[in-house]
Amino acid sequence: MQIPSELKERLTSSKKILALTGAGISAESGVPTFRGKEGLWKEFRAEELATPQAFSRDPHLVWEWYLWRMDLISTKSPNSAHYSLAELEKKKSDFFLITQNVDGLHARSGSKKIIEIHGNIFRTKCTGCKKTFSSQIEELKVSFKCKECASLLRPDVLWFGETYNSELLNESIHLAEEAEIALVIGTSGAVGIPVELARIAKSNGALLIEINLEKSAYSSLSDYFFPGKAGEILPELVSYFS
Ligand code: OAD
């Protein structure tokens, strides 16, 4: 991989690093992305199931899809791209990671400074008392009822048409404003707010580095675009940070 010398210099001298990840970073772990060929479940697209309307219409169908995804993710492990970001966190004290992924693989690879801006599939939230719980797949297979108030549980993830958690969003905006380097990895940009975060970083002077198999909605903002697999490119890129 060719890394221009001026980029190597920026990787060394920059302190505030922000990584923004999407489903592509987990693809090499075997977790299907949303918009690729394997993004379908039965005949449904994510946009048809991950909505409050779909859940109120047919909570069992939506839960069936989430349980299928939870089962699948439980059998997968972090890959070299996740591990590289955990290593980068150790190298740079001002590193932070914002992920759109709900799969929890960043935490399992050792990353600690993470904002899961779209939630986590291994947590549930009660539609009645609003408490959150860590999800036990086997328990959910028996009942979707809250242990405390018996209302319906839902996955603690952001659905289409819902507003972002304002605390997490404000923290993310702040990180984007402060970033000297923004690494955008494996995300299509089909969802607007994360693209907006990249735009904020860029307009506040961050250098934007993108890794993706193909061009995305972020690419017009990118200063450097590295085409290819995150699991191959990221370990080498991270080796230049010191
Ligand atoms: P998408 O499925 O929309 O996009 C995945 C991106 O990863 C694509 O641009 C692929 O080209 C790229 N990609 C695939 N494999 C890769 C690899 N090995 N290395 C690098 N890049 C790779 O997923 P997201 O952009 O994460 O939101 O989708 C954003 C949001 O839409 C999700 O968080 C979810 C979804 O609906 C909500 O649920 C709110």
Side-chain angles (χ1 to χ4, degrees), residues 22-24 27-28 33-35 100-101 118 158 160 186-189 191 211-214 228-230:
E28 288 157 78
T33 59
F34 291 95
R35 295 177 180 81
Q100 298 165 77
N101 299 344
H118 291 166
L158 184 76
F160 290 97
T187 171
S188 64
V191 174
I211 301 174
N212 199 314
L213 296 181
E214 55 190 39
K229 293 184 173 176

Side-chain angles (χ1 to χ4, degrees), residues 38-208:
E38 288 152 15
L40 282 179
W41 174 73
K42 299 190 176 170
E43 70 272 34
F44 301 102
R45 286 153 20 105
E47 288 87 341
E48 295 170 278
L49 295 167
T51 70
Q53 293 79 8
F55 191 66
S56 56
R57 203 166 41 238
D58 193 345
H60 281 269
L61 175 71
V62 174
W63 261 122
E64 203 192 331
W65 179 54
Y66 277 99
L67 286 171
W68 172 77
R69 288 176 62 201
M70 287 164 75
D71 269 334
L72 182 134
I73 294 164
S74 310
T75 65
K76 309 298 180 198
S77 306
N79 65 57
S80 53
H82 298 105
Y83 285 114
S84 297
L85 291 181
E87 188 189 326
L88 187 52
E89 181 180 315
K90 289 198 187 114
K91 285 189 177 186
K92 296 277 189 185
S93 56
D94 260 330
F95 171 87
F96 227 100
L97 167 60
I98 300 173
T99 187
Q100 298 165 77
N101 299 344
V102 297
D103 58 27
L105 290 178
H106 282 300
R108 280 171 56 195
S109 71
S111 283
K112 300 224 164 11
K113 292 156 94 178
I114 317 171
I115 293 179
E116 292 177 318
I117 202 163
H118 291 166
N120 189 307
I121 200 169
F122 295 103
R123 270 198 321 262
T124 50
K125 185 164 69 185
C126 177
T127 56
C129 68
K130 310 293 177 206
K131 286 198 178 130
T132 56
F133 305 93
S134 72
S135 311
Q136 306 302 325
I137 304 180
E138 295 315 317
E139 275 179 31
L140 285 167
K141 283 180 180 167
V142 177
S143 166
F144 304 126
K145 296 274 172 67
C146 175
K147 282 180 284 199
E148 304 212 355
C149 76
S151 301
L152 189 61
L153 292 170
R154 58 164 282 177
D156 191 14
V157 298
L158 184 76
W159 282 334
F160 290 97
E162 293 186 318
T163 47
Y164 279 71
N165 173 307
S166 57
E167 212 173 294
L168 295 185
L169 184 59
N170 287 338
E171 202 180 335
S172 301
I173 291 171
H174 177 69
L175 289 165
E177 285 168 347
E178 296 279 302
E180 291 169 69
I181 292 184
L183 295 168
V184 176
I185 305 152
T187 171
S188 64
V191 174
I193 294 284
V195 181
E196 199 45 41
L197 291 174
R199 205 183 306 282
I200 291 170
K202 173 87 180 184
S203 63
N204 281 275
L207 186 78
L208 216 126

Side-chain angles (χ1 to χ4, degrees), residues 2-17 92 180-181 207 209 224 226 237 239-242:
Q2 285 286 40
I3 309 247
S5 56
E6 69 273 13
L7 175 56
K8 284 185 192 161
E9 217 165 278
R10 285 287 288 270
L11 299 182
T12 309
S13 63
S14 301
K15 292 190 171 64
K16 296 187 174 172
I17 319 292
K92 296 277 189 185
E180 291 169 69
I181 292 184
L207 186 78
I209 303 171
Y224 293 94
F226 290 102
L237 197 65
S239 73
Y240 290 105
F241 282 90
S242 54

